[in-house]
Amino acid sequence: MNMITMANKIRKSFTASLIPCSILAAAITLNSCTDFLTIYPTDRTVGTDFWKKKADVDEMVNGCYLSMLSGDIQERSIIWGAYRSDELVKLTDYSDYTLDNISAVNLLPTNRFNSWASFYKVINNCNIVLNHATDVMAEDPEFTEGDYQTVRAQMLALRSLCYFYLVRAFRDVPFTEQSFEDDSQDMTVAQSAPGVVLQQCIDDLQEAEKYVMKSGAYGYNDWRNWGYITRDAVDAILADIYLWRASMTHSSSDYEQVVNYVDKVVEAKDNYYNLNHSAGVSSSRETDKYHLEDGDMAFTTIFSTNQGNSHESILEWQYNGKNNSNTTLENYYYQSGTKDDHKTTSILMASQIFNTVAENANTTQGQKVYVSRNDYRFWNNVYEANNEEAQQLSVRKMISTGVITDILTRTTGDTKSNSRAFEEFRQNWIVYRLTDLLLMKAEALEALSSGDEDQDRLKQAFDLVQAVNKRSMIMTAKDTLKYEDYNTKSAIELLVLAERERELCFEGKRWFDLMRYSYRHMQGVDINQLLADSNSWPELYPQMLKFIIRKYGEGGEGDAVSYKLKSEPYLYWPILESETKVNRLLKQNPVYVQEKSTSKN
């Protein structure tokens, strides 16, 4: 089976039924226990009798991609990346003490969201492929050196992406390149500091960049250009990792690498667009190198259940609604429950900061997200937009099958409808898209600027924000951003942060954006030391806390949350208690102590 045949196979079903039971045990069930790297014996499926044919490798690669579609990973993308931020609140009438504790910053070591097993499952599957695929070349002449390098590159990149999620969630995590394939192996692995893990990810991604398929190589509009890790996806992950590390270390060279890798993606997408779209089409996306969709079409092309994989997208986890419905996103944002017993309400709601507009939304005093009702995103990101009294609003982005375009005549947003079928919930999860990358570059350029006098870099950063913002505004609007209102370093930094929330809300980005924002203003962060090996830690940036608590509105709850978030360790989750019992080398996040009852230092 060649790579193209394998690609068609995973697309047509993305289901375990395509994989023989023996292979499925390795690809899907492998280390399904909740304890770190605890697996069932799999000698029969990954031993010498298995790795004989190219098809064996292809099936295992399938399994790695399938693992990324798991509900546990989708759930953590939402909870880790969005729910902890100012974007989301739990539906008032929904009973869940775990979510209540997260909202109250009581991140108990027994919290189910502390489990990292789903990511280590993918990591271990990648390691199995990396440690065995090379042997197949000697067994099967159809598995060439080129095939091996392509497979190896994808596994290195996918493993790096998983480690990056873990570093952002836990900071100090076990790193291993060893594959665990039977229960006789010693599976205790100590944590590494983020400096070590991130550098290894960068090294692996730079190696992967040489051999992954060029973006667009699968053919025009072929889903694999977005569903597989391609060169654009590798460059996007690299830009994100460099931006993260730069925020912790304040490294100019890392910020410059962000600019470098974003520019690579922009150039590649510009070339692909020019080769595959007819010139002269009447559209604003023909006039610049970003080719962004106009605001009235962006939601249809980017989030549509019928299309998806827009030309702006870079990497999406592919759900077809039949063999693999995105039920986790559905339960959290649309309707909760199961196929036979679902509720008409979702678990999570958008907070009240999305309900109306405010002139000061781009400043430290802003209590709202939007500055204009002429912004298509204001109406399409949530239901019941422009309702000043709403404390909670249903998420509309990725949920509605339609798009609101008549915003000039609107006074209120759509009321939530449950008309979308609960079964066969086909909705891709976007990992990276172009506007995300453009705003990463804007963030890096602002950080690289030497101060208010560095107008060249500040203007470049502003222009990137303006490109994202302007495409989202109705064409007749006159209230787009003006540089004279944001021509200082601090103003541009806040503008980028605000635009990222307008553009990327509910996509699992906001908490990590706020963490980077805080890190840029913190001193004394040591990325080469474990948190548990220090007795004191840098304090969090106070302005970050003001953004986090604004979702609580006026009152004592927000003040209590702000009081609990004190220093660097509070940005991260504690390690699941059961993991620390299985792996005695693990050091718990030092601000959490497990006694008869859980408390914080």
Side-chain angles (χ1 to χ4, degrees):
M1 185 190 302
N2 59 31
M3 288 297 292
I4 299 301
T5 304
M6 183 270 286
N8 287 328
K9 194 170 186 181
I10 189 173
R11 174 56 174 175
K12 287 179 180 177
S13 72
F14 262 92
T15 178
S17 64
L18 289 178
I19 306 175
C21 293
S22 60
I23 300 173
L24 180 62
I28 305 301
T29 312
L30 192 61
N31 74 315
S32 58
C33 296
T34 56
D35 295 331
F36 167 56
L37 294 179
T38 299
I39 59 174
Y40 297 115
T42 55
D43 313 63
R44 292 185 301 276
T45 59
V46 296
T48 55
D49 292 335
F50 176 76
W51 297 94
K52 296 292 186 181
K53 300 178 294 182
K54 185 178 186 297
D56 296 337
V57 180
D58 293 341
E59 297 290 12
M60 285 298 295
V61 171
N62 277 5
C64 292
Y65 278 108
L66 280 164
S67 298
M68 290 305 297
L69 302 182
S70 76
D72 283 348
I73 285 181
Q74 178 68 87
E75 186 176 49
R76 279 148 186 78
S77 297
I78 293 172
I79 299 298
W80 291 356
Y83 182 63
R84 288 195 69 188
S85 74
D86 51 353
E87 291 182 346
L88 294 170
V89 293
K90 191 202 72 176
L91 177 70
T92 302
D93 296 335
Y94 185 82
S95 178
D96 189 312
Y97 291 117
T98 300
L99 293 175
D100 289 338
N101 276 323
I102 295 172
S103 296
V105 198
N106 296 325
L107 304 184
L108 309 181
T110 53
N111 185 323
R112 71 179 186 272
F113 295 110
N114 298 352
S115 173
W116 53 30
S118 55
F119 285 95
Y120 276 111
K121 170 185 172 182
V122 181
I123 289 168
N124 196 52
N125 288 346
C126 290
N127 285 341
I128 289 173
V129 176
L130 288 167
N131 292 337
H132 287 284
T134 184
D135 299 332
V136 179
M137 285 188 289
E139 301 284 343
D140 186 354
E142 290 189 8
F143 189 60
T144 66
E145 175 70 22
D147 292 330
Y148 166 70
Q149 291 295 354
T150 300
V151 165
R152 175 173 174 267
Q154 290 186 76
M155 296 299 95
L156 289 174
L158 188 57
R159 184 179 71 183
S160 296
L161 178 60
C162 289
Y163 275 125
F164 185 41
Y165 271 107
L166 294 171
V167 167
R168 287 178 292 176
F170 298 97
R171 190 185 189 275
D172 307 326
V173 299
F175 179 89
T176 180
E177 296 173 312
Q178 180 182 2
S179 58
F180 295 92
E181 303 172 34
D182 68 72
D183 57 3
S184 67
Q185 294 176 262
D186 180 8
M187 292 177 261
T188 56
V189 181
Q191 290 144 291
S192 296
V196 174
V197 180
L198 295 178
Q199 185 58 57
Q200 184 63 57
C201 291
I202 288 171
D203 293 344
D204 286 346
L205 287 161
Q206 289 176 338
E207 177 71 9
E209 186 189 33
K210 303 173 186 175
Y211 300 105
V212 289
M213 296 284 281
K214 181 180 178 182
S215 301
Y218 292 104
Y220 178 65
N221 270 355
D222 192 301
W223 71 273
R224 291 167 295 182
N225 295 317
W226 301 272
Y228 284 171
I229 289 182
T230 61
R231 191 175 302 167
D232 281 356
V234 169
D235 290 340
I237 302 168
L238 276 165
D240 208 2
I241 291 177
Y242 273 117
L243 188 63
W244 184 265
R245 191 171 72 174
S247 70
M248 298 181 78
T249 63
H250 308 166
S251 166
S252 295
S253 61
D254 279 358
Y255 280 123
E256 289 168 354
Q257 287 284 36
V258 177
V259 175
N260 172 46
Y261 282 107
V262 173
D263 284 348
K264 284 187 175 185
V265 175
V266 170
E267 182 180 4
K269 282 195 162 292
D270 183 33
N271 290 337
Y272 180 81
Y273 187 90
N274 291 331
L275 285 171
N276 290 282
H277 291 77
S278 299
V281 177
S282 178
S283 171
S284 60
R285 61 183 171 139
E286 297 292 331
T287 62
D288 63 51
K289 61 184 177 182
Y290 306 132
H291 310 292
L292 300 179
E293 292 282 1
D294 293 332
D296 59 342
M297 288 297 296
F299 275 80
T300 299
T301 57
I302 296 172
F303 303 110
S304 171
T305 57
N306 296 319
Q307 298 180 47
N309 295 327
S310 79
H311 73 274
E312 291 186 29
S313 232
I314 297 168
L315 179 62
E316 298 189 15
W317 302 137
Q318 308 283 313
Y319 293 87
N320 65 15
K322 295 180 180 179
N323 306 113
N324 51 71
S325 295
N326 194 342
T327 54
T328 303
L329 184 148
E330 178 182 32
N331 286 333
Y332 278 115
Y333 290 167
Y334 181 45
Q335 301 181 55
S336 62
T338 64
K339 177 179 179 181
D340 298 321
D341 179 28
H342 63 271
K343 313 296 188 295
T344 58
T345 56
S346 58
I347 296 174
L348 302 183
M349 305 284 283
S351 70
Q352 52 84 31
I353 65 175
F354 290 91
N355 61 0
T356 59
V357 300
E359 291 183 359
N360 64 353
N362 297 328
T363 72
T364 57
Q365 304 303 314
Q367 295 299 309
K368 302 295 178 182
V369 172
Y370 302 98
V371 294
S372 171
R373 292 181 181 86
N374 291 323
D375 191 329
Y376 284 101
R377 298 169 299 185
F378 174 65
W379 302 99
N380 285 289
N381 281 338
V382 299
Y383 288 101
E384 298 184 357
N386 210 31
N387 182 350
E388 294 186 10
E389 297 180 357
Q391 296 299 306
Q392 297 186 336
L393 304 98
S394 295
V395 174
R396 193 177 192 279
K397 176 195 269 187
M398 298 176 282
I399 298 304
S400 175
T401 56
V403 58
I404 295 175
T405 58
D406 59 337
I407 65 177
L408 270 181
T409 58
R410 277 191 171 266
T411 57
T412 58
D414 281 357
T415 301
K416 183 179 179 180
S417 168
N418 290 318
S419 60
R420 182 173 182 177
F422 187 82
E423 296 80 13
E424 299 186 2
F425 195 83
R426 178 192 176 196
Q427 190 70 52
N428 287 357
W429 179 258
I430 299 175
V431 185
Y432 290 107
R433 55 191 181 97
L434 184 56
T435 50
D436 184 5
L437 272 289
L438 297 182
L439 294 172
M440 286 186 198
K441 180 179 176 181
E443 187 174 322
L445 287 169
E446 179 280 317
L448 283 168
S449 66
S450 56
D452 294 351
E453 69 280 0
D454 192 351
Q455 289 292 298
D456 182 52
R457 279 201 179 99
L458 294 179
K459 182 60 164 59
Q460 290 179 53
F462 173 84
D463 288 344
L464 288 163
V465 176
Q466 177 75 305
V468 176
N469 183 274
K470 192 172 182 178
R471 78 87 173 261
S472 300
M473 307 294 287
I474 195 165
M475 293 183 66
T476 58
K478 297 181 180 180
D479 49 6
T480 52
L481 306 172
K482 299 177 178 62
Y483 180 61
E484 54 265 31
D485 296 331
Y486 303 98
N487 59 3
T488 65
K489 184 175 175 67
S490 60
I492 290 291
E493 180 185 35
L494 289 168
L495 178 63
V496 174
L497 186 67
E499 191 65 28
R500 282 187 64 83
E501 183 159 38
R502 288 188 283 266
E503 178 69 11
L504 303 167
C505 60
F506 320 130
E507 296 181 47
K509 306 285 184 177
R510 177 64 172 177
W511 176 253
F512 303 135
D513 289 352
L514 290 172
M515 288 179 71
R516 290 197 312 274
Y517 176 58
S518 184
Y519 269 127
R520 285 198 299 272
H521 296 273
M522 292 163 59
Q523 300 297 324
V525 175
D526 188 349
I527 67 169
N528 296 311
Q529 183 180 47
L530 301 180
L531 288 176
D533 291 342
S534 177
N535 294 319
S536 61
W537 310 278
E539 294 183 357
L540 303 184
Y541 184 44
Q543 183 57 45
M544 175 206 181
L545 306 182
K546 291 181 181 179
F547 284 129
I548 292 172
I549 66 174
R550 64 181 180 162
K551 73 177 180 180
Y552 299 100
E554 301 295 333
E557 187 176 7
D559 292 339
V561 168
S562 180
Y563 176 77
K564 292 178 182 179
L565 290 167
K566 299 175 182 178
S567 57
E568 185 183 6
Y570 289 91
L571 294 172
Y572 298 97
W573 296 82
I575 299 170
L576 191 67
E577 181 186 8
S578 61
E579 302 283 7
T580 61
K581 292 180 178 179
V582 172
N583 183 356
R584 296 297 181 180
L585 296 180
L586 295 177
K587 297 180 179 180
Q588 182 59 274
N589 186 320
V591 298
Y592 302 95
V593 177
Q594 186 71 23
E595 298 173 345
K596 291 182 180 179
S597 61
T598 302
S599 61
K600 287 184 179 180
N601 285 335

